Amino acid sequence: MGAPTTYVARVPTATTPTSDVIEKYRLAFQVSPTPLLLVADDGRIVMSNPPLEELFGYDAGGLDGRRVEILLPDSVRSYHPELRDAYFTLPTRRSMGTGRDLFGKSRTGELIPIEIGLDPVLAGERKFVLVSILDISERKQNETKIRLAIDAAATAMVMADRHGKIVLTNRPACDLFGYPDEELIGQPIERLIPERFRRRHPVYRQSYSTCPEPRAMGGGRALFGVRRDGTEFPVEIGLTPIESHDELFFMSTIQDITERRKADERLRRQNAELSRLNEELTHFAYSISHDLKAPLASIDGLLRFAAEDLESGDSLDARQSLAQASRLAGRLATRIEQVLSIVRADFHDESLEPLCVEKVVREIWADVAPAERAEALSYRSDTDDTIHTVPRRFRTIVENLVSNAYKYAHADRELRIEIRAARENGSFTIRVADNGIGIPDAEHENVFKMFTRVADHDEPGSGLGLALVKKNVDKLGGTIALTSSGAGSRFTVTLPRTAEE
Amino acid sequence: MEIPVIVVDDEPTDRYIAKRVLRKSGLSEKVIEVESGDRFLELIDDQERLRRECGGCPPPTLVLLDINMPRVNGFDVLEGLKKRYSEGDQKPTCFVVMMFTSSGNPRDREQALRYEFVKDYVVKPLDPEQVERIATHFAVAEKG
């Protein structure tokens, strides 16, 4: 902002009588379109012209003899005399308050944005100052409009000059980078860039200014901004060169893409999860069809035998084959039921109910083992063993662990199953330990996967039982651990404390 | 001449079915049942025991090998056999392996037939036509 064009007076010599000087000015004042004031070194207004009186809302001559502070905003009034005195000790021709926004105050108290030019006038012993005033209300209004517009933009904007010095920021930019308004003005643009990229940036800047054209910054590189507090965030930046008054500026529009990055990441994870599920489903379908087909094939074989046997009148053999087929059909039914359980495990009613663990264990054991083996299982609880859980899931877990312990008993040992309930740091733990055939170390990892069978047995397992246990433990937010040796297996299920507990 | 057949299958019913089909069709009376892949590999590593189990019968021996078995499955067994064949010096006996499985999956079939000692891929249950095929392999094995 340069000084307004002022009415330049012929600087009078010190010997001219004061009143003469003033009279010379009076005529000029009357014809000047610029608002003018002549102020004496004691701060009193000697003369004002009509444009000035009009601007400030005073009658003709209404300001004569008043202190110039009457035209100033209240906030400036108290210290202005001091500035004024300072000026008169070394009067020069200059504009007032360089770089600051200046305001005048009208008679009605309205603030008027102005620019002020000062010209010293010496008349004999007295010093005066000729004050010319430029009303910049309209310009300010336009600036405000533009300011409001760029502040209202959704994107952060930062404009820098060709030396990389920030000349303009908008509200979103200050918010995005965490700076108070205007604090960035005059700062190098590198301040907004993480430390590790700062050194290179001026080089990029210079090469851009050799052929400036609107484009995205970074050429595909991941870009980061850094906030005032030092935190970084991913950004996307558009660059536009702006030429104004023969000067080249660069406008960057900056977008915080943290959320988009997160969404991308989420999408990528979901995709991975989907293809994993898809693969699992393929495996599942394949294994299921195979697993269900195998007993069917056997049943088919046995039925053909029975037919042959009946034809040759061998009814004893036929009966054996049929009994065998029927047993396999039963096993097949169980297997299908298990598969359905696994599928259904995703859709259980998840409402929690109080459950007495000992009661559940006893009921299950009664179903699994014949009455004469009842003593093989012992139950001990270190805690109040009523838990709040999804009954169906908990039952499935205990049922499979207990029936495995029973099924894979060691031929040479009298079966012992020890079940122990405990509570630790609020978590509920149930441990099922047996003295059965155990599970080889190499299989510990696989044993919870679907269709993994590890034991030789007259009644081959489905490879689904422990997978079902794992799935239900997972659904209850718990964990399951296995330790096993030739002396038996021990499964420990830990369930988190539920809200009801 | 009696040719021994080894049936490797974890499912007792399927071993029973194979045994009976082989007997009834008059193909072989000498059926050795092995209930797991690892036991089978143990058996062929123990020539002494193998000869004993075969009742002194000479090779070649025919193997009906299931695929879906716990721990060491049919493909693991094939890898084990390949390793033993390539090591050469202690070639167990001249095996003719036939896969014997309920898996009709073409991928399984393709994978199995890639081994040169796998001569056929039979889908359960055994039927007369398949027994015919087994008989052909027997004939070839006898000549070889």
Side-chain angles (χ1 to χ4, degrees):
Chain A
M1 287 178 228
T5 317
T6 53
Y7 176 82
V8 181
R10 181 182 63 83
V11 179
T13 60
T15 54
T16 318
T18 308
S19 57
D20 283 3
V21 177
I22 291 170
E23 284 320 305
K24 274 179 189 160
Y25 276 91
R26 196 173 301 281
L27 182 63
F29 262 48
Q30 293 307 317
V31 298
S32 167
T34 307
L36 296 171
L37 275 176
L38 189 67
V39 180
D41 54 2
D42 60 356
R44 290 195 189 277
I45 295 169
V46 179
M47 202 190 296
S48 60
N49 71 347
L52 184 124
E53 285 151 1
E54 193 190 337
L55 177 62
F56 284 86
Y58 288 89
D59 296 334
L63 284 164
D64 294 359
R66 312 291 299 265
R67 287 197 184 277
V68 72
E69 279 76 22
I70 195 173
L71 300 176
L72 305 186
D74 299 349
S75 55
V76 187
R77 224 172 252 185
S78 60
Y79 61 83
H80 186 260
E82 210 180 316
L83 298 178
R84 176 156 54 70
D85 287 347
Y87 178 80
F88 278 112
T89 56
L90 198 69
T92 53
R93 181 180 181 193
R94 63 175 170 85
S95 57
M96 190 194 277
T98 327
R100 276 180 299 135
D101 284 343
L102 299 178
F103 293 91
K105 190 179 149 194
S106 76
R107 191 178 188 178
T108 52
E110 209 182 323
L111 291 181
I112 310 157
I114 49 177
E115 274 177 14
I116 303 171
L118 301 175
D119 281 283
V121 178
L122 295 174
E125 294 303 298
R126 300 290 307 273
K127 291 174 188 167
F128 298 88
V129 61
L130 175 66
V131 182
S132 53
I133 296 199
L134 183 64
D135 175 8
I136 56 170
S137 300
E138 201 172 324
R139 198 171 87 205
K140 277 286 164 190
Q141 268 171 19
N142 283 335
E143 274 178 26
T144 306
K145 249 185 252 165
I146 292 169
R147 183 78 231 168
L148 285 174
I150 72 161
D151 279 347
T155 24
M157 297 176 175
V158 175
M159 191 159 96
D161 64 16
R162 60 180 313 139
H163 308 292
K165 208 172 74 182
I166 296 172
V167 296
L168 180 146
T169 56
N170 70 348
R171 237 281 63 104
C174 293
D175 291 348
L176 180 60
F177 288 94
Y179 285 87
D181 283 358
E182 306 296 317
E183 191 179 310
L184 282 167
I185 304 300
Q187 298 291 332
I189 189 100
E190 279 75 22
R191 173 159 294 203
L192 305 178
I193 298 168
E195 188 79 49
R196 60 182 188 284
F197 302 120
R198 265 180 210 169
R199 199 191 301 258
R200 272 178 265 162
H201 191 259
V203 181
Y204 293 140
R205 218 164 15 80
Q206 275 156 22
S207 77
Y208 179 71
S209 57
T210 59
C211 83
E213 53 177 9
R215 65 166 170 89
M217 190 194 284
R221 275 176 298 130
L223 302 176
F224 295 90
V226 66
R227 293 190 192 86
R228 193 171 189 245
D229 63 12
T231 53
E232 289 183 17
F233 56 99
V235 291
E236 220 171 64
I237 300 177
L239 278 177
T240 314
I242 294 176
E243 219 176 321
S244 163
H245 297 96
D246 282 342
E247 254 201 276
L248 191 56
F249 295 93
F250 302 99
M251 176 66 93
S252 343
T253 50
I254 303 152
Q255 227 157 0
D256 180 354
I257 55 169
T258 308
E259 285 309 311
R260 199 201 306 163
R261 276 283 169 80
K262 274 193 204 152
D264 285 353
E265 178 57 18
R266 253 198 314 275
L267 199 65
R268 205 190 53 71
R269 269 206 308 269
Q270 275 169 356
N271 265 336
E273 175 69 4
L274 274 181
S275 55
R276 193 189 63 75
L277 280 177
N278 207 17
E279 206 167 298
E280 197 179 286
L281 194 67
T282 311
H283 175 69
F284 182 71
Y286 168 62
S287 304
I288 285 285
S289 63
H290 178 266
D291 251 57
L292 300 185
K293 223 177 125 189
L296 263 183
S298 308
I299 290 169
D300 189 15
L302 289 166
L303 292 178
R304 284 184 206 179
F305 289 171
E308 278 169 27
D309 291 339
L310 284 175
E311 209 146 299
S312 60
D314 200 344
S315 68
L316 194 68
D317 275 3
R319 203 172 303 154
Q320 253 173 17
S321 293
L322 288 173
Q324 183 94 316
S326 158
R327 202 175 51 78
L328 280 183
R331 201 203 289 167
L332 186 57
T334 311
R335 207 165 281 189
I336 290 173
E337 194 44 55
Q338 263 177 324
V339 169
L340 285 176
S341 303
I342 287 209
V343 175
R344 276 197 302 250
D346 283 322
F347 307 106
H348 278 330
D349 172 14
E350 300 289 346
S351 53
L352 306 177
E353 279 173 37
L355 211 62
C356 171
V357 176
E358 175 162 16
K359 193 160 162 273
V360 171
V361 169
R362 298 278 177 217
E363 281 168 8
I364 288 171
W365 183 237
D367 284 344
V368 167
E372 65 267 23
R373 306 294 297 277
E375 293 303 310
L377 180 137
S378 67
Y379 177 86
R380 192 153 72 87
S381 174
D382 302 342
T383 176
D384 162 26
D385 69 351
T386 298
I387 61 167
H388 285 76
T389 189
V390 182
R392 192 157 173 177
R393 296 204 187 284
F394 187 75
R395 259 174 205 287
T396 306
I397 294 165
V398 176
E399 208 164 71
N400 280 278
L401 292 179
V402 167
S403 67
N404 273 358
Y406 180 73
K407 189 169 169 186
Y408 299 107
H410 197 287
D412 304 332
R413 292 196 280 261
E414 192 180 334
L415 175 66
R416 304 276 328 143
I417 301 175
E418 282 171 17
I419 297 186
R420 199 165 148 189
R423 210 172 259 287
E424 239 173 73
N425 306 324
S427 302
F428 177 81
T429 300
I430 181 165
R431 203 180 69 190
V432 179
D434 63 48
N435 62 347
I437 57 174
I439 298 168
D441 281 350
E443 302 291 347
H444 285 196
E445 234 177 81
N446 297 324
V447 84
F448 295 111
K449 291 182 186 154
M450 273 194 258
F451 306 109
T452 301
R453 297 180 292 140
V454 297
D456 297 321
H457 199 270
D458 290 344
E459 289 283 315
S462 60
L464 291 171
L466 286 177
L468 192 54
V469 168
K470 177 79 164 64
K471 187 155 194 175
N472 281 287
V473 170
D474 285 348
K475 289 272 174 188
L476 290 177
T479 55
I480 184 164
L482 160 66
T483 52
S484 183
S485 66
S489 302
R490 189 165 76 185
F491 289 91
T492 309
V493 174
T494 306
L495 301 175
R497 182 204 292 270
T498 49
E500 281 77 357
E501 295 168 6
Chain B
M1 203 188 334
E2 193 72 77
I3 293 183
V5 179
I6 304 175
V7 178
V8 188
D9 200 316
D10 64 313
E11 171 59 58
T13 310
D14 288 350
R15 296 200 300 269
Y16 164 75
I17 292 171
K19 201 165 159 176
R20 177 168 158 158
V21 170
L22 292 168
R23 276 197 186 134
K24 280 235 168 174
S25 56
L27 272 175
S28 179
E29 279 292 330
K30 193 72 225 163
V31 177
I32 303 157
E33 291 182 55
V34 179
E35 73 276 23
S36 74
D38 32 1
R39 299 252 162 95
F40 171 69
L41 290 175
E42 274 166 36
L43 176 65
I44 62 162
D45 283 340
D46 190 345
Q47 294 286 307
E48 209 39 52
R49 200 179 118 216
L50 181 61
R51 225 173 324 229
R52 207 167 50 241
E53 294 259 2
C54 294
C57 293
T61 306
L62 186 93
V63 182
L64 289 183
L65 178 62
D66 186 21
I67 291 178
N68 190 256
M69 291 182 289
R71 295 194 309 276
V72 176
N73 68 25
F75 292 121
D76 299 332
V77 169
L78 292 179
E79 270 304 299
L81 280 177
K82 186 180 164 192
K83 205 166 147 252
R84 283 163 179 77
Y85 270 94
S86 60
E87 276 164 9
D89 52 315
Q90 49 168 357
K91 205 172 274 186
T93 46
C94 181
F95 281 115
V96 176
V97 179
M98 297 179 62
M99 301 313 278
F100 179 54
T101 172
S102 55
S103 166
N105 191 318
R107 262 206 330 236
D108 283 355
R109 185 188 184 88
E110 197 186 310
Q111 189 183 343
L113 290 172
R114 234 177 270 156
Y115 294 87
E116 56 165 335
F117 44 83
V118 175
K119 300 299 179 206
D120 209 339
Y121 189 97
V122 175
V123 177
K124 293 174 187 178
L126 276 184
D127 58 28
E129 195 188 315
Q130 286 170 329
V131 172
E132 276 300 303
R133 254 158 58 190
I134 294 176
T136 319
H137 289 299
F138 255 73
V140 174
E142 265 182 315
K143 271 186 215 151

